[in-house]
Amino acid sequence: MQQIHPSPLSKNIRRARIIRRKTTTVYCDTLKRLKDEDAVLINQILIIRLRPRSEATEFECSCVNNSNIDSIPSVDFAYPPMGSNASNFPPQLFYPDFMKGTVQRREERETYQVVLTNDKAERTFAFCFKFPTLPQHSSIISTDSGISTLDNRIFTGLSVLVLISPYPNEGYFSELAADLVLAFQRDNARLLSMCRDLLQLRLTTSESFDAKAKYIVRDEYGRQQWTRSHMSTILKKIGMENALFIFLNMLAERRIIITGSNVTDVSQTVHALVRLLAPLEWPHGLIPILPDSQIEYCQNPTPYIYGLLRYNLSRISELIVPQNDSSFSPDDNTLNDDIILFDVEMGIIVPPISRPKNKQKIGLKALLEQTELIGFPRAAVCELLGALKSCIPIKDAEKADYKIEKKIMIFYAKLFGHYRSFGQDILTARNRKLFARAHPCSETRLFLNWFIENGILQYFISIQETENDGCCGLKFRFQKVLKKYAPPARINLEGKKRKAAKSLIWKALNH
């Protein structure tokens, strides 16, 4: 009897269903619930530094998995005092490369974001600013009793200022960081006063917000040389072909590891790639930079996007190269096809994709081959790559970001924009099949057969009728794009074919 092998399409459908059913697709509703009158801008302020293990708390020692490193991350300052909430803020999350001083003997001033997710799947964002601690500095410690005490130990090196907020907007906080660091270095009393005032700030759309925000300052004299990168800047740096390859794998809900030599590059790349999904969202594991002591998180079998410093790669070699083969040879066919490993400086490492000699970026041919393996329509990906590359010459980073977001929305609209014809009933088993069959293009219909089972898409569709982000938000902009680019459905909810004229016109204009 002839053995029947499952087709790649059925494999993709089965995989999408398993991921959707077995992973959490509950998103953070914090931003939806906040109102102007109670929209707290900053929840917690921390300063983290490396402290000798003998001086750290028992909790801080447990956070680094009992590693043998002499100096471990420790909370040097906390406002408000954390008390019983200390377990919500493991210090190694905010000083992720604390082993770097031992491994490489070199550290740099950096800025990066950390995503915090609680047991209710609610996300908050920690904006971290690494800065030099001045010699002869006596650090200030906020105790649980609320009384501030001076620690007379002399400490030199780097510390990390952490501002924790429900708002994923770096622009609000980078300007505050310079003043807070200056106060920490020179005036302990002013630091406490600033922290008390900052926790009273509320985010509002009122024009008088800047006037009320006492400590939003301009770093006119470059006292702290932190950098802020736009999405377009990062994508140009890593290459649009590479960015598009990772983007498609995010939509396919793969496990993705971004690696590099420093925290800033890795963290900013992770955030830029996640932003590329908008207005869709990433519901799975998201850690922009994994602490040195928690590399085992990479063994998670469910989808994730993790940032990982390059010197930690040897610790996950068996995950990347199974069967105890630690070689990263491009010709090795045993590489784990469920893992994507991307180096911000060297390009795609896993899977082993052929690319022009001595080039970081993959070639168009290799990209399209991978596109078909994942299950995306080749023509749509070609069109998207050209559209994204057209954004490269734009010098204004804000305009380039806006343009990239629009190109992604057009890509979505052409692929699944006809979902509006099915309303909320689209998510029933019967209507999901009808939705896939309703697209005018046969290649896209094959793609939608598995993509409609995807948790990312199903969540997005489910909230469209209940969520409104104003007249300038991404979802509002996407609705405008849909009106222009969404395909007409070939069949209706009853499964009956509609007149073909509209579909033919749409195909002529968009293909």
Side-chain angles (χ1 to χ4, degrees):
M1 181 181 293
Q2 184 179 4
Q3 186 176 2
I4 300 176
H5 297 280
S7 68
L9 176 60
S10 63
K11 179 182 176 182
N12 283 344
I13 293 173
R14 186 169 61 255
R15 182 181 183 278
R17 286 175 178 169
I18 290 173
I19 289 174
R20 173 167 51 83
R21 290 168 183 168
K22 292 192 175 183
T23 60
T24 302
T25 54
V26 179
Y27 289 77
C28 177
D29 292 327
T30 304
L31 297 182
K32 305 171 195 172
R33 295 194 300 265
L34 289 174
K35 299 179 181 178
D36 278 352
E37 60 267 25
D38 61 359
V40 177
L41 186 62
I42 298 175
N43 295 332
Q44 182 75 53
I45 300 173
L46 303 171
I47 293 179
I48 310 295
R49 72 171 173 92
L50 297 184
R51 189 191 299 272
R53 179 183 291 272
S54 59
E55 300 174 6
T57 66
E58 183 178 350
F59 170 70
E60 291 168 346
C61 291
S62 67
C63 288
V64 296
N65 295 338
N66 299 317
S67 65
N68 296 323
I69 302 299
D70 292 334
S71 297
I72 63 175
S74 175
V75 177
D76 199 31
F77 172 82
Y79 192 88
M82 293 185 292
S84 60
N85 292 325
S87 60
N88 295 331
F89 306 103
Q92 84 281 6
L93 291 180
F94 313 116
Y95 207 131
D97 56 342
F98 67 94
M99 292 184 182
K100 187 176 182 180
T102 301
V103 175
Q104 297 183 347
R105 300 294 178 188
R106 181 173 61 87
E107 287 194 277
E108 303 166 348
R109 186 196 311 272
E110 295 176 302
T111 176
Y112 45 93
Q113 291 182 41
V114 174
V115 179
L116 305 174
T117 308
N118 65 14
D119 55 2
K120 297 180 181 178
E122 296 175 339
R123 285 178 178 166
T124 53
F125 304 87
F127 299 87
C128 304
F129 303 87
K130 189 179 287 188
F131 64 94
T133 305
L134 297 179
Q136 307 301 317
H137 165 64
S138 296
S139 61
I140 184 170
I141 299 176
S142 182
T143 65
D144 291 341
S145 63
I147 301 174
S148 301
T149 60
L150 289 179
D151 178 5
N152 293 318
R153 289 186 296 272
I154 303 302
F155 173 74
T156 60
L158 293 176
S159 297
V160 180
L161 169 67
V162 184
L163 303 176
I164 297 175
S165 170
Y167 296 96
N169 192 324
E170 183 184 1
Y172 290 136
F173 306 103
S174 58
E175 294 175 343
L176 289 171
D179 254 21
L180 281 168
V181 167
L182 192 63
F184 179 72
Q185 292 173 335
R186 299 182 182 179
D187 189 346
N188 291 333
R190 183 167 180 256
L191 174 64
L192 285 173
S193 174
M194 288 178 65
C195 289
R196 281 192 290 266
D197 288 342
L198 288 175
L199 263 67
Q200 299 302 314
L201 288 179
R202 299 294 184 268
L203 188 62
T204 177
T205 56
S206 169
E207 294 180 357
S208 61
F209 174 64
D210 282 341
K212 295 178 182 178
K214 183 177 180 181
Y215 291 109
I216 288 188
V217 297
R218 303 290 183 264
D219 189 18
E220 297 175 354
Y221 304 105
R223 292 169 298 186
Q224 303 292 343
Q225 299 299 320
W226 294 303
T227 59
R228 282 186 287 165
S229 294
H230 293 272
M231 175 175 64
S232 55
T233 306
I234 299 297
L235 299 186
K236 291 173 186 177
K237 179 180 177 181
I238 66 175
M240 284 297 182
E241 292 88 350
N242 290 337
L244 181 55
F245 174 76
I246 298 172
F247 167 74
L248 297 177
N249 278 281
M250 286 193 294
L251 289 177
E253 298 180 304
R254 307 282 181 178
R255 293 184 291 172
I256 299 170
I257 298 174
I258 308 297
T259 187
S261 59
N262 65 75
V263 174
T264 298
D265 286 349
V266 173
S267 174
Q268 289 180 345
T269 301
V270 170
H271 283 288
L273 291 169
V274 171
R275 278 187 61 194
L276 201 57
L277 285 173
L280 274 61
E281 301 176 45
W282 179 258
H284 307 294
L286 173 59
I287 305 179
I289 187 73
L290 266 176
D292 291 340
S293 57
Q294 293 177 313
I295 306 305
E296 70 276 5
Y297 280 25
C298 291
Q299 303 292 338
N300 188 344
T302 59
Y304 59 69
I305 303 174
Y306 292 162
L308 186 69
L309 290 171
R310 192 182 295 130
Y311 62 77
N312 285 318
L313 282 179
S314 60
R315 298 165 62 185
I316 60 167
S317 59
E318 291 189 3
L319 173 67
I320 301 170
V321 186
Q323 302 175 1
N324 297 320
D325 183 0
S326 59
S327 169
F328 283 87
S329 169
D331 299 324
D332 189 349
N333 293 322
T334 67
L335 291 173
N336 190 338
D337 63 359
D338 193 34
I339 288 280
I340 306 299
L341 176 60
F342 177 76
D343 191 296
V344 296
E345 295 162 6
M346 295 185 286
I348 298 166
I349 298 177
V350 177
I353 299 174
S354 60
R355 54 179 181 257
K357 192 173 182 180
N358 299 324
K359 294 287 185 180
Q360 175 198 21
K361 303 173 186 176
I362 64 174
L364 177 60
K365 181 179 178 181
L367 175 63
L368 294 179
E369 287 174 354
Q370 291 296 316
T371 291
E372 292 185 335
L373 288 175
I374 300 171
F376 285 86
R378 175 187 283 250
V381 173
C382 268
E383 183 181 355
L384 177 59
L385 178 60
L388 292 177
K389 283 189 170 183
S390 70
C391 303
I392 293 177
I394 301 175
K395 294 182 179 180
D396 187 313
E398 292 283 354
K399 291 182 179 179
D401 282 3
Y402 188 91
K403 199 82 171 179
I404 289 171
E405 289 169 350
K406 184 176 180 180
K407 300 300 183 184
I408 294 293
M409 290 181 199
I410 293 173
F411 173 73
Y412 289 156
K414 291 182 178 181
L415 289 181
F416 57 81
H418 59 297
Y419 74 87
R420 297 187 303 171
S421 302
F422 292 82
Q424 288 293 305
D425 293 333
I426 188 177
L427 297 181
T428 64
R430 173 182 176 274
N431 288 344
R432 291 201 301 270
K433 294 179 180 179
L434 289 176
F435 166 74
R437 288 169 48 201
H439 199 281
C441 299
S442 58
E443 188 182 21
T444 305
R445 289 197 290 272
L446 290 174
F447 159 72
L448 289 176
N449 275 322
W450 70 265
F451 193 62
I452 187 56
E453 303 293 341
N454 186 300
I456 294 177
L457 178 61
Q458 289 200 15
Y459 175 78
F460 172 77
I461 292 174
S462 69
I463 64 172
Q464 290 309 293
E465 300 298 324
T466 60
E467 199 173 79
N468 181 15
D469 61 356
C471 62
C472 299
L474 283 169
K475 291 183 174 63
F476 176 82
R477 288 169 53 197
F478 186 51
Q479 294 303 316
K480 293 180 66 176
V481 169
L482 286 174
K483 291 178 182 178
K484 184 174 181 180
Y485 293 99
R490 292 172 59 247
I491 54 179
N492 58 23
L493 279 171
E494 287 73 37
K496 297 179 180 179
K497 288 188 176 182
R498 292 174 171 170
K499 292 182 179 180
K502 288 185 177 180
S503 295
L504 292 173
I505 293 172
W506 183 87
K507 288 176 67 175
L509 293 175
N510 293 280
H511 282 76

mmCIF file of all heavy atoms in Angstrom, residues 357-385:
data_model
loop_
_atom_site.group_PDB
_atom_site.id
_atom_site.type_symbol
_atom_site.label_atom_id
_atom_site.label_comp_id
_atom_site.label_asym_id
_atom_site.label_seq_id
_atom_site.Cartn_x
_atom_site.Cartn_y
_atom_site.Cartn_z
ATOM 1 N N LYS A 357 28.670 36.165 -1.403
ATOM 2 C CA LYS A 357 29.891 35.994 -0.616
ATOM 3 C C LYS A 357 30.234 37.264 0.150
ATOM 4 O O LYS A 357 30.195 38.366 -0.371
ATOM 5 C CB LYS A 357 31.049 35.617 -1.546
ATOM 6 C CG LYS A 357 32.281 35.134 -0.801
ATOM 7 C CD LYS A 357 33.327 34.628 -1.774
ATOM 8 C CE LYS A 357 34.538 34.087 -1.023
ATOM 9 N NZ LYS A 357 35.571 33.583 -1.957
ATOM 10 N N ASN A 358 30.563 37.078 1.432
ATOM 11 C CA ASN A 358 30.961 38.176 2.319
ATOM 12 C C ASN A 358 29.877 39.236 2.475
ATOM 13 O O ASN A 358 30.163 40.395 2.744
ATOM 14 C CB ASN A 358 32.254 38.843 1.816
ATOM 15 C CG ASN A 358 33.415 37.869 1.768
ATOM 16 O OD1 ASN A 358 33.525 36.997 2.627
ATOM 17 N ND2 ASN A 358 34.261 38.003 0.761
ATOM 18 N N LYS A 359 28.618 38.845 2.279
ATOM 19 C CA LYS A 359 27.516 39.787 2.435
ATOM 20 C C LYS A 359 26.661 39.398 3.632
ATOM 21 O O LYS A 359 26.426 38.220 3.893
ATOM 22 C CB LYS A 359 26.642 39.806 1.173
ATOM 23 C CG LYS A 359 27.353 40.344 -0.074
ATOM 24 C CD LYS A 359 27.548 41.844 0.009
ATOM 25 C CE LYS A 359 28.136 42.385 -1.291
ATOM 26 N NZ LYS A 359 28.333 43.846 -1.245
ATOM 27 N N GLN A 360 26.184 40.423 4.338
ATOM 28 C CA GLN A 360 25.322 40.169 5.493
ATOM 29 C C GLN A 360 23.908 39.814 5.046
ATOM 30 O O GLN A 360 23.236 38.985 5.647
ATOM 31 C CB GLN A 360 25.282 41.411 6.389
ATOM 32 C CG GLN A 360 24.306 41.302 7.557
ATOM 33 C CD GLN A 360 23.979 42.654 8.154
ATOM 34 O OE1 GLN A 360 24.147 43.670 7.510
ATOM 35 N NE2 GLN A 360 23.497 42.661 9.382
ATOM 36 N N LYS A 361 23.441 40.435 3.957
ATOM 37 C CA LYS A 361 22.052 40.282 3.537
ATOM 38 C C LYS A 361 21.882 39.043 2.672
ATOM 39 O O LYS A 361 22.759 38.683 1.891
ATOM 40 C CB LYS A 361 21.606 41.520 2.750
ATOM 41 C CG LYS A 361 21.760 42.826 3.515
ATOM 42 C CD LYS A 361 21.476 44.016 2.618
ATOM 43 C CE LYS A 361 21.759 45.329 3.329
ATOM 44 N NZ LYS A 361 21.572 46.494 2.442
ATOM 45 N N ILE A 362 20.717 38.406 2.799
ATOM 46 C CA ILE A 362 20.417 37.276 1.938
ATOM 47 C C ILE A 362 19.987 37.801 0.574
ATOM 48 O O ILE A 362 19.522 38.932 0.436
ATOM 49 C CB ILE A 362 19.309 36.390 2.538
ATOM 50 C CG1 ILE A 362 17.983 37.157 2.646
ATOM 51 C CG2 ILE A 362 19.716 35.852 3.875
ATOM 52 C CD1 ILE A 362 16.827 36.297 3.083
ATOM 53 N N GLY A 363 20.146 36.974 -0.450
ATOM 54 C CA GLY A 363 19.747 37.368 -1.790
ATOM 55 C C GLY A 363 18.254 37.196 -2.007
ATOM 56 O O GLY A 363 17.571 36.507 -1.244
ATOM 57 N N LEU A 364 17.748 37.808 -3.065
ATOM 58 C CA LEU A 364 16.323 37.745 -3.367
ATOM 59 C C LEU A 364 15.882 36.311 -3.643
ATOM 60 O O LEU A 364 14.827 35.870 -3.173
ATOM 61 C CB LEU A 364 16.009 38.635 -4.572
ATOM 62 C CG LEU A 364 14.553 38.613 -5.057
ATOM 63 C CD1 LEU A 364 13.610 39.084 -3.959
ATOM 64 C CD2 LEU A 364 14.397 39.469 -6.310
ATOM 65 N N LYS A 365 16.702 35.567 -4.383
ATOM 66 C CA LYS A 365 16.338 34.189 -4.712
ATOM 67 C C LYS A 365 16.190 33.345 -3.450
ATOM 68 O O LYS A 365 15.209 32.601 -3.292
ATOM 69 C CB LYS A 365 17.398 33.577 -5.634
ATOM 70 C CG LYS A 365 17.086 32.150 -6.058
ATOM 71 C CD LYS A 365 18.167 31.604 -6.984
ATOM 72 C CE LYS A 365 17.869 30.155 -7.366
ATOM 73 N NZ LYS A 365 18.933 29.596 -8.250
ATOM 74 N N ALA A 366 17.154 33.468 -2.540
ATOM 75 C CA ALA A 366 17.092 32.696 -1.294
ATOM 76 C C ALA A 366 15.895 33.122 -0.452
ATOM 77 O O ALA A 366 15.229 32.292 0.174
ATOM 78 C CB ALA A 366 18.385 32.879 -0.505
ATOM 79 N N LEU A 367 15.606 34.422 -0.435
ATOM 80 C CA LEU A 367 14.460 34.921 0.328
ATOM 81 C C LEU A 367 13.158 34.332 -0.201
ATOM 82 O O LEU A 367 12.295 33.890 0.574
ATOM 83 C CB LEU A 367 14.413 36.448 0.263
ATOM 84 C CG LEU A 367 13.191 37.118 0.909
ATOM 85 C CD1 LEU A 367 13.143 36.829 2.402
ATOM 86 C CD2 LEU A 367 13.200 38.623 0.660
ATOM 87 N N LEU A 368 13.010 34.304 -1.518
ATOM 88 C CA LEU A 368 11.774 33.784 -2.106
ATOM 89 C C LEU A 368 11.646 32.277 -1.902
ATOM 90 O O LEU A 368 10.538 31.758 -1.725
ATOM 91 C CB LEU A 368 11.719 34.134 -3.590
ATOM 92 C CG LEU A 368 11.607 35.638 -3.899
ATOM 93 C CD1 LEU A 368 11.576 35.882 -5.398
ATOM 94 C CD2 LEU A 368 10.369 36.238 -3.239
ATOM 95 N N GLU A 369 12.772 31.578 -1.915
ATOM 96 C CA GLU A 369 12.727 30.141 -1.629
ATOM 97 C C GLU A 369 12.228 29.893 -0.211
ATOM 98 O O GLU A 369 11.389 29.016 0.027
ATOM 99 C CB GLU A 369 14.119 29.531 -1.811
ATOM 100 C CG GLU A 369 14.556 29.409 -3.264
ATOM 101 C CD GLU A 369 15.996 28.927 -3.389
ATOM 102 O OE1 GLU A 369 16.666 28.797 -2.335
ATOM 103 O OE2 GLU A 369 16.452 28.689 -4.527
ATOM 104 N N GLN A 370 12.742 30.679 0.738
ATOM 105 C CA GLN A 370 12.293 30.540 2.118
ATOM 106 C C GLN A 370 10.834 30.958 2.269
ATOM 107 O O GLN A 370 10.082 30.381 3.058
ATOM 108 C CB GLN A 370 13.184 31.383 3.039
ATOM 109 C CG GLN A 370 14.601 30.879 3.173
ATOM 110 C CD GLN A 370 14.667 29.512 3.820
ATOM 111 O OE1 GLN A 370 13.985 29.246 4.803
ATOM 112 N NE2 GLN A 370 15.488 28.633 3.257
ATOM 113 N N THR A 371 10.436 31.969 1.502
ATOM 114 C CA THR A 371 9.049 32.437 1.528
ATOM 115 C C THR A 371 8.084 31.308 1.193
ATOM 116 O O THR A 371 7.066 31.113 1.864
ATOM 117 C CB THR A 371 8.874 33.589 0.518
ATOM 118 O OG1 THR A 371 9.585 34.733 0.987
ATOM 119 C CG2 THR A 371 7.409 33.948 0.348
ATOM 120 N N GLU A 372 8.410 30.552 0.151
ATOM 121 C CA GLU A 372 7.539 29.454 -0.257
ATOM 122 C C GLU A 372 7.554 28.318 0.759
ATOM 123 O O GLU A 372 6.535 27.663 0.989
ATOM 124 C CB GLU A 372 7.962 28.950 -1.635
ATOM 125 C CG GLU A 372 7.690 29.968 -2.744
ATOM 126 C CD GLU A 372 7.997 29.421 -4.123
ATOM 127 O OE1 GLU A 372 8.828 28.492 -4.211
ATOM 128 O OE2 GLU A 372 7.418 29.916 -5.096
ATOM 129 N N LEU A 373 8.716 28.085 1.382
ATOM 130 C CA LEU A 373 8.788 27.040 2.402
ATOM 131 C C LEU A 373 7.909 27.380 3.603
ATOM 132 O O LEU A 373 7.268 26.506 4.190
ATOM 133 C CB LEU A 373 10.242 26.844 2.855
ATOM 134 C CG LEU A 373 11.182 26.162 1.858
ATOM 135 C CD1 LEU A 373 12.608 26.158 2.396
ATOM 136 C CD2 LEU A 373 10.724 24.730 1.574
ATOM 137 N N ILE A 374 7.892 28.654 3.969
ATOM 138 C CA ILE A 374 7.061 29.075 5.103
ATOM 139 C C ILE A 374 5.588 29.006 4.735
ATOM 140 O O ILE A 374 4.742 28.667 5.566
ATOM 141 C CB ILE A 374 7.433 30.510 5.542
ATOM 142 C CG1 ILE A 374 8.892 30.574 5.970
ATOM 143 C CG2 ILE A 374 6.543 30.969 6.698
ATOM 144 C CD1 ILE A 374 9.393 31.983 6.207
ATOM 145 N N GLY A 375 5.268 29.318 3.465
ATOM 146 C CA GLY A 375 3.879 29.239 3.025
ATOM 147 C C GLY A 375 3.270 30.560 2.612
ATOM 148 O O GLY A 375 2.045 30.685 2.546
ATOM 149 N N PHE A 376 4.102 31.575 2.301
ATOM 150 C CA PHE A 376 3.595 32.876 1.879
ATOM 151 C C PHE A 376 3.579 32.972 0.355
ATOM 152 O O PHE A 376 4.424 32.367 -0.315
ATOM 153 C CB PHE A 376 4.464 34.005 2.449
ATOM 154 C CG PHE A 376 4.241 34.265 3.907
ATOM 155 C CD1 PHE A 376 4.922 33.535 4.867
ATOM 156 C CD2 PHE A 376 3.335 35.222 4.327
ATOM 157 C CE1 PHE A 376 4.718 33.755 6.212
ATOM 158 C CE2 PHE A 376 3.120 35.456 5.671
ATOM 159 C CZ PHE A 376 3.810 34.720 6.616
ATOM 160 N N PRO A 377 2.649 33.744 -0.207
ATOM 161 C CA PRO A 377 2.615 33.918 -1.665
ATOM 162 C C PRO A 377 3.823 34.708 -2.156
ATOM 163 O O PRO A 377 4.114 35.798 -1.658
ATOM 164 C CB PRO A 377 1.303 34.674 -1.904
ATOM 165 C CG PRO A 377 0.941 35.283 -0.599
ATOM 166 C CD PRO A 377 1.519 34.411 0.463
ATOM 167 N N ARG A 378 4.515 34.164 -3.129
ATOM 168 C CA ARG A 378 5.756 34.752 -3.626
ATOM 169 C C ARG A 378 5.536 36.167 -4.164
ATOM 170 O O ARG A 378 6.313 37.084 -3.880
ATOM 171 C CB ARG A 378 6.331 33.856 -4.722
ATOM 172 C CG ARG A 378 7.570 34.411 -5.404
ATOM 173 C CD ARG A 378 7.970 33.559 -6.587
ATOM 174 N NE ARG A 378 8.641 32.342 -6.178
ATOM 175 C CZ ARG A 378 9.938 32.111 -6.372
ATOM 176 N NH1 ARG A 378 10.688 33.019 -6.958
ATOM 177 N NH2 ARG A 378 10.478 30.981 -6.001
ATOM 178 N N ALA A 379 4.482 36.356 -4.947
ATOM 179 C CA ALA A 379 4.252 37.661 -5.574
ATOM 180 C C ALA A 379 4.043 38.753 -4.526
ATOM 181 O O ALA A 379 4.557 39.871 -4.660
ATOM 182 C CB ALA A 379 3.042 37.587 -6.503
ATOM 183 N N ALA A 380 3.296 38.436 -3.479
ATOM 184 C CA ALA A 380 3.026 39.431 -2.435
ATOM 185 C C ALA A 380 4.299 39.811 -1.698
ATOM 186 O O ALA A 380 4.513 40.985 -1.362
ATOM 187 C CB ALA A 380 1.984 38.887 -1.461
ATOM 188 N N VAL A 381 5.163 38.828 -1.447
ATOM 189 C CA VAL A 381 6.416 39.107 -0.742
ATOM 190 C C VAL A 381 7.343 39.945 -1.615
ATOM 191 O O VAL A 381 8.006 40.870 -1.132
ATOM 192 C CB VAL A 381 7.091 37.791 -0.317
ATOM 193 C CG1 VAL A 381 8.479 38.059 0.259
ATOM 194 C CG2 VAL A 381 6.231 37.064 0.711
ATOM 195 N N CYS A 382 7.403 39.631 -2.911
ATOM 196 C CA CYS A 382 8.213 40.436 -3.843
ATOM 197 C C CYS A 382 7.761 41.891 -3.836
ATOM 198 O O CYS A 382 8.577 42.818 -3.788
ATOM 199 C CB CYS A 382 8.089 39.871 -5.256
ATOM 200 S SG CYS A 382 9.348 38.681 -5.675
ATOM 201 N N GLU A 383 6.453 42.075 -3.884
ATOM 202 C CA GLU A 383 5.903 43.432 -3.896
ATOM 203 C C GLU A 383 6.221 44.163 -2.593
ATOM 204 O O GLU A 383 6.585 45.340 -2.597
ATOM 205 C CB GLU A 383 4.387 43.372 -4.106
ATOM 206 C CG GLU A 383 3.731 44.737 -4.199
ATOM 207 C CD GLU A 383 2.221 44.638 -4.382
ATOM 208 O OE1 GLU A 383 1.715 43.508 -4.525
ATOM 209 O OE2 GLU A 383 1.562 45.697 -4.375
ATOM 210 N N LEU A 384 6.113 43.453 -1.461
ATOM 211 C CA LEU A 384 6.394 44.079 -0.167
ATOM 212 C C LEU A 384 7.864 44.466 -0.056
ATOM 213 O O LEU A 384 8.190 45.544 0.454
ATOM 214 C CB LEU A 384 6.012 43.130 0.968
ATOM 215 C CG LEU A 384 6.311 43.630 2.383
ATOM 216 C CD1 LEU A 384 5.585 44.939 2.668
ATOM 217 C CD2 LEU A 384 5.933 42.586 3.426
ATOM 218 N N LEU A 385 8.761 43.610 -0.524
ATOM 219 C CA LEU A 385 10.187 43.930 -0.459
ATOM 220 C C LEU A 385 10.489 45.202 -1.244
ATOM 221 O O LEU A 385 11.216 46.084 -0.769
ATOM 222 C CB LEU A 385 11.012 42.761 -1.000
ATOM 223 C CG LEU A 385 12.526 42.979 -1.029
ATOM 224 C CD1 LEU A 385 13.068 43.238 0.370
ATOM 225 C CD2 LEU A 385 13.235 41.784 -1.665
#
